[in-house]
Amino acid sequence: MEKTGVTLLNERLIKGFITSKIDRLPLPGVTVVNVRSKAETQSDFDGYYTIKVKTGDILHITFVGLSEYNLVINQNNNYKVELEEAPDDCGEHNIYAGVTNYSRINNCLKNKERKGRRKKIRNKELERTVIGKLLYNMTNIFRRKE
């Protein structure tokens, strides 16, 4: 029984505030998960959240279009997190009201797909096309050999 009492005493309620690093505005609806206990919550309209944790727990913080963040809990009771824009996000998850630059989104998605194919070719998961092999062999004489 003593272990149960000690466990409950170590657990505490913390508060946090989540903003976007891009414009420093609060982010509503950000998912916050305690990795150890699997407790989950979301930030409110003003970017605030509360969750039960122990010292040493890790909070996994995610939001669509922004980079994931892992927060290690220490003795503090208040935390502020700024989420950055995901480097490989093209805005394909955003819902636009009004006019937007769809060509920028399409170009970004094509570049992301191209990079994925190149990576698969390098890892031998995908074979080059006949023209790709020809061009690779032609340009191979200009590559530096190490």
Side-chain angles (χ1 to χ4, degrees):
M1 287 217 172
E2 286 183 44
K3 284 189 175 182
T4 307
V6 171
T7 303
L8 292 175
L9 289 177
N10 288 339
E11 202 166 73
R12 66 186 196 281
L13 194 66
I14 62 157
K15 296 177 182 180
F17 179 61
I18 303 172
T19 61
S20 167
K21 196 167 192 172
I22 302 161
D23 54 12
R24 307 272 194 259
L25 293 175
L27 290 171
V30 177
T31 304
V32 180
V33 179
N34 185 333
V35 176
R36 177 193 56 83
S37 69
K38 306 293 186 227
E40 184 174 327
T41 188
Q42 285 191 333
S43 60
D44 64 10
F45 185 76
D46 296 321
Y48 291 98
Y49 67 92
T50 58
I51 191 167
K52 282 190 174 185
V53 297
K54 288 183 178 181
T55 301
D57 281 357
I58 297 174
L59 296 183
H60 186 68
I61 302 171
T62 57
F63 192 69
V64 174
L66 299 177
S67 293
E68 297 179 355
Y69 190 84
N70 286 324
L71 176 66
V72 179
I73 301 301
N74 54 28
Q75 298 298 327
N76 296 336
N77 288 326
N78 294 309
Y79 294 88
K80 182 180 179 192
V81 174
E82 286 186 336
L83 296 181
E84 297 178 347
E85 188 173 8
D88 60 345
D89 181 52
C90 297
E92 69 266 30
H93 303 293
N94 298 343
I95 299 171
Y96 294 99
V99 180
T100 186
N101 187 355
Y102 289 109
S103 63
R104 182 187 72 80
I105 295 172
N106 287 336
N107 288 341
C108 182
L109 290 173
K110 286 178 187 175
N111 286 340
K112 194 191 276 188
E113 185 181 339
R114 231 180 262 129
K115 286 179 184 177
R117 281 195 309 256
R118 284 187 201 133
K119 187 175 182 181
K120 285 182 179 181
I121 288 172
R122 274 189 230 112
N123 294 338
K124 307 280 192 239
E125 296 171 25
L126 188 64
E127 193 173 326
R128 294 183 195 275
T129 62
V130 174
I131 293 174
K133 289 177 185 177
L134 175 71
L135 291 173
Y136 179 79
N137 290 331
M138 287 174 56
T139 59
N140 197 26
I141 58 174
F142 298 109
R143 290 194 179 89
R144 186 177 1 165
K145 307 281 190 221
E146 293 182 29

